[in-house]
DNA sequence: CCCCCCCC
């Protein structure tokens, strides 16, 4: 039976702690391990080397996209170009070794293979005998001794259950755990991780007490995690920890990460405890596993919640001066600089830099700005970005994405028509110019208008019906008063608001029309100025024709029926007694600019399908 | 156990 080039026996080898280069295996299944949200989802593969089946192959999250693209489906034959193994659980029954796949090449797509190769049998956990016999030192030459970690307390995580009490705590890389395998349910581990960023020491004092802390974000090939050190641990480790250095870390407490304060791809974060051991790993080959980014197209920032933490890359199209001022509330002297970033989503966002970041920024150089863990804020209805503790800003990164966005910018991007997600729409501010495009169904699904402030959106919609009855009312003739007057039936019209009677009145319009897009429709109110614009007549003309030449008025309304406009709408729930009613009015109604509208549709299609993006 | 991150 042909093995189709599979590396038969590879799985048995790695279970023994041995390594083989570029093994070829077949995928026989995969399982999505749900994290909270797309960012932390992981895939676990069932793989075969033709002889054995193995279900503890974890896909590094950097390969998630490959999986989502369907390249790693059943029966696919892949070459594992880079991997790492790790013992995650060792007990009397044996040990469990996890294979973390870091890089792969798909040799043959599953659909072209179409069948399981050979008759692979499930692997069992390595018996403890074998584990003990070949032990940690089953690697030919343990190259990275770690003398003190764990020390007499036998704290070296995964060793403690081996039953080999005489063993010195000497640890090789093969026995460290991938960060992505850590969970609160398993505390026997050691990670080897590089510090990506480190906060300053911060103190706090509140009802629950006071203290100090610092935190750092660390990473390895499998993932990243935040580590926080409080009080004693803060004192113990703060000066030792340096950004970019690599450390062995063990015995921290894991807890669910609060996503509000981090953009790291990990469901957990950890806290140092009294038992925590941290030791610098000096013998590294200097290679820095790539930091994982989850870049958000700038156009999408418009849809993000305030306080979201995101990764963004864009070109600095414009940078303001450093502005110094005194904060009104705190009295602090602040320095800031506003920077405009653009990317190929043809959108821009304002990034606010503070203090040294503001002063050191090369304002005239139009650098590519790469942000990890930037924080989204909302101001005046627009979105802006800021940096917080764990944020990292890198200028002109020498990376594919960096060059790509630079290339886009140099090849027309700098002149592209850009819409700003930071543009202030302002509640009641006439709809602004950056109103979000939504369908009626989306507006409904999002419960638009149910908040304290009105919501605005724009939609391309056709006028289905216009109610001519009550489309006009007689209003107070005073310039700044539009209050409906009471006809005194004696040639006088009374305005309650002005507490006066007038011999005349002016017509005002309040036209209710049913407008619809392809998803749904909605009754909206069009007030005087806009109604005049849409109908091409003054309120007085429309009012008098409604009163005296009904037919002509109907004809006028008919002239815009079944016409399409781009409506900017304002929606807000209002209460009529106990009854909530969503009132929607039109702020503007512009003729459809088909070129622009088509560009919008194309962009939506690209976003929905991923086809033709970037 | 923090979680403030500034201003319009």
């Amino acid at each position: 039976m042909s093995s189709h080039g599979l590396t038969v026996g590879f799985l048995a080898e790695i279970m023994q702690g041995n390594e083989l280069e570029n093994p070829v295996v077949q995928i026989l299944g995969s399982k999505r391990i749900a994290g909270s949200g797309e960012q932390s989802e992981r895939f676990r593969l069932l793989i075969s080397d033709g002889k054995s089946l193995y279900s503890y192959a974890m896909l590094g999250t950097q390969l998630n996209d490959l999986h989502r693209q369907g390249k790693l489906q059943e029966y696919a034959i892949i070459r594992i170009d880079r991997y790492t193994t790790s013992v995650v659980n060792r007990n009397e029954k044996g040990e469990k070794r996890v294979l973390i796949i870091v890089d792969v090449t798909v040799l043959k797509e599953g659909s072209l293979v179409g069948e399981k190769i050979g008759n692979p049998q499930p692997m069992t956990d390595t018996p403890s005998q074998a584990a003990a016999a070949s032990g940690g030192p089953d690697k030919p030459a343990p190259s990275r001794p770690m003398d003190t970690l764990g020390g007499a307390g036998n704290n070296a995580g995964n060793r403690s259950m081996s039953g080999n009490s005489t063993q010195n705590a000497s640890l090789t890389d093969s026995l460290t755990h991938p960060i992505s395998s850590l969970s609160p349910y398993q505390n026997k581990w050691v990670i080897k991780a590089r510090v990506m960023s480190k906060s300053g020491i911060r103190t706090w004092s509140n009802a629950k007490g006071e203290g100090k802390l610092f935190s750092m974000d660390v990473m390895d090939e499998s993932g990243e995690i935040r580590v926080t050190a409080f009080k004693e641990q803060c004192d113990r480790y703060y000066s030792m920890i340096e950004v970019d250095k690599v450390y062995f870390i063990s015995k921290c407490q894991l807890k669910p990460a609060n996503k509000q304060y981090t953009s790291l791809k990990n469901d957990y974060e950890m806290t140092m405890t009294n038992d925590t051991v941290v030791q610098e790993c000096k013998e590294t080959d200097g290679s820095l596993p790539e930091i994982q980014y989850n870049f958000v197209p700038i156009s999408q920032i418009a849809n993000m919640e305030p306080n979201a933490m995101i990764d963004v890359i864009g070109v600095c199209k414009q940078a303001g001066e450093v502005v110094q001022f005194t904060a009104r509330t705190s009295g602090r002297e602040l320095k800031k600089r506003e920077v405009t970033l653009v990317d190929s989503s043809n959108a821009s966002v304002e990034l606010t830099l503070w203090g040294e970041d503001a002063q050191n920024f090369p304002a005239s150089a139009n650098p590519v700005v790469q942000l990890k863990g930037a924080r989204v804020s909302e101001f005046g209805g627009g979105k802006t970005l800021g940096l917080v503790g764990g944020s990292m800003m890198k200028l002109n990164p020498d990376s594919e994405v960096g060059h790509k966005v630079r290339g886009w910018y140099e090849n027309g991007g700098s002149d592209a028509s850009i819409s700003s997600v930071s543009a202030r729409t302002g509640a009641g501010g006439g709809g602004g110019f950056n109103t979000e495009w939504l369908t009626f169904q989306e507006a409904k699904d999002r419960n638009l208008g149910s908040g304290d402030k009105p919501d605005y959106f724009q939609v391309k919609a056709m006028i289905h019906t216009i109610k001519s009855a009550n489309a006009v009312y007689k209003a107070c003739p005073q310039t700044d008063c539009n209050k409906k007057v009471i006809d005194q039936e004696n040639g006088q019209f009374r305005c309650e608001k002005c507490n006066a009677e007038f011999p005349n009145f002016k017509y005002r319009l309040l036209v209710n029309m049913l407008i619809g897009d392809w998803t749904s429709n909605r009754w909206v109110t069009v007030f005087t100025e806009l109604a005049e614009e849409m109908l091409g007549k003054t309120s007085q003309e429309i009012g008098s024709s409604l009163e005296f030449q009904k037919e002509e008025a109907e004809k006028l309304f008919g002239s815009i029926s079944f016409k399409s406009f781009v409506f900017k709408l304002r929606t807000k729930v209002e209460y009529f007694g106990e009854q909530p009613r969503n009132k929607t009015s039109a702020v503007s109604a512009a003729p459809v600019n088909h070129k622009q509208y088509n560009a919008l549709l194309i962009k939506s299609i690209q976003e929905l399908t991923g086809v033709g993006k970037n």
Side-chain angles (χ1 to χ4, degrees), chain A residues 316 319 337 361-367:
Chain A
C316 168
R337 189 202 292 270
F361 190 83
S364 54
N366 294 99

Side-chain angles (χ1 to χ4, degrees), chain A residues 377-398:
Chain A
S377 300
E378 192 171 51
F379 179 60
K383 300 287 176 11
T384 60
L385 294 177
L387 304 185
V388 294
S391 304
M392 285 191 281
M393 176 169 67
K394 192 169 181 185
L395 301 181
N396 297 314
D398 185 14

Side-chain angles (χ1 to χ4, degrees), chain A residues 19 76 83 206 214 224 260 295 383 407 416 441 481 488 586:
Chain A
E19 288 185 13
Y83 67 94
N206 58 29
F214 84 96
E224 49 194 15
Q260 204 184 329
F295 291 119
K383 300 287 176 11
Q441 191 59 47
C481 183
Q488 304 290 79

Side-chain angles (χ1 to χ4, degrees), chain A residues 111-144:
Chain A
S111 55
L112 299 176
V113 181
E115 59 173 7
K116 180 165 78 177
I117 298 165
N119 184 24
Q121 298 301 307
M123 297 279 292
T124 50
D125 291 347
T126 309
S128 55
Q129 242 59 20
S134 56
D138 55 5
K139 282 196 77 169
S143 57
R144 276 159 208 174

Side-chain angles (χ1 to χ4, degrees), chain A residues 48-248:
Chain A
S48 156
D49 62 4
K51 185 178 168 194
S52 305
L53 275 176
Y54 187 65
S55 68
Y56 288 99
M58 305 291 298
L59 203 60
T61 50
Q62 68 274 21
L63 298 177
N64 280 1
D65 276 342
L66 199 65
H67 189 281
R68 291 193 198 104
Q69 290 158 15
K71 298 278 167 56
L72 301 178
Q73 78 278 53
E74 200 179 14
Y75 304 135
I77 296 175
I78 58 170
R79 185 181 67 221
I80 304 175
D81 299 318
R82 215 160 152 213
Y83 67 94
T84 169
T85 68
S86 167
V87 178
V88 293
N89 200 2
R90 180 180 287 177
N91 56 35
E92 297 73 21
K93 282 186 262 169
E95 63 178 36
K96 187 161 287 178
R97 216 171 255 271
V98 170
L99 174 71
I100 311 282
I101 299 175
V102 179
D103 203 4
V104 297
T105 303
V106 179
L107 299 179
K108 202 165 182 185
E109 295 209 3
S111 55
L112 299 176
V113 181
E115 59 173 7
K116 180 165 78 177
I117 298 165
N119 184 24
Q121 298 301 307
M123 297 279 292
T124 50
D125 291 347
T126 309
S128 55
Q129 242 59 20
S134 56
D138 55 5
K139 282 196 77 169
S143 57
R144 276 159 208 174
M146 197 167 73
D147 302 309
T148 56
L149 182 64
N154 198 13
N155 279 340
N158 50 7
R159 298 222 154 223
S160 58
M161 299 298 284
S162 69
N164 186 348
S165 59
T166 60
Q167 201 168 16
N168 274 335
S170 95
L171 213 65
T172 66
D173 286 0
S174 71
L175 286 172
T176 59
H177 292 68
I179 286 174
S180 61
S181 74
L182 302 185
S183 79
Y185 315 110
Q186 210 292 98
N187 58 11
K188 307 276 183 211
W189 50 259
V190 181
I191 59 167
K192 180 184 165 185
R194 195 179 290 270
V195 176
M196 297 188 283
S197 67
K198 171 194 176 185
S199 78
I201 292 179
R202 199 170 67 239
T203 58
W204 82 88
S205 172
N206 58 29
K208 286 184 221 157
E210 54 184 44
K212 59 174 156 180
L213 73 126
F214 84 96
S215 67
M216 57 180 174
D217 292 343
V218 304
M219 64 177 299
D220 66 10
E221 281 186 320
S222 76
E224 49 194 15
I225 195 165
R226 176 160 295 174
V227 186
T228 306
F230 289 98
K231 300 174 184 173
E232 295 85 2
Q233 286 75 248
C234 176
D235 288 337
R236 195 140 102 211
Y237 293 114
Y238 182 77
S239 58
M240 168 186 180
I241 298 295
E242 291 178 44
V243 170
D244 273 352
K245 285 195 170 172
V246 176
Y247 299 86
F248 291 106

Side-chain angles (χ1 to χ4, degrees), chain A residues 428 430-431 435 440 449 454-459 509-513 515 522-528 530-531 534 566-574 581-589:
Chain A
T435 315
F440 282 125
D455 288 313
Y456 295 83
F457 66 104
Q458 63 182 322
V459 59
L509 299 174
L510 192 156
V511 185
N512 286 305
M513 50 180 80
I515 65 174
R522 180 181 290 226
W523 282 99
V524 303
T525 305
V526 179
F527 294 103
T528 307
L530 182 59
M534 290 176 76
V566 173
F567 286 95
K568 287 190 177 170
L569 301 173
R570 172 197 198 271
T571 185
K572 173 95 180 71
V573 169
E574 285 171 19
R581 220 180 291 166
N582 208 325
K583 300 282 274 182
T584 302
S585 59
V587 173
S588 70

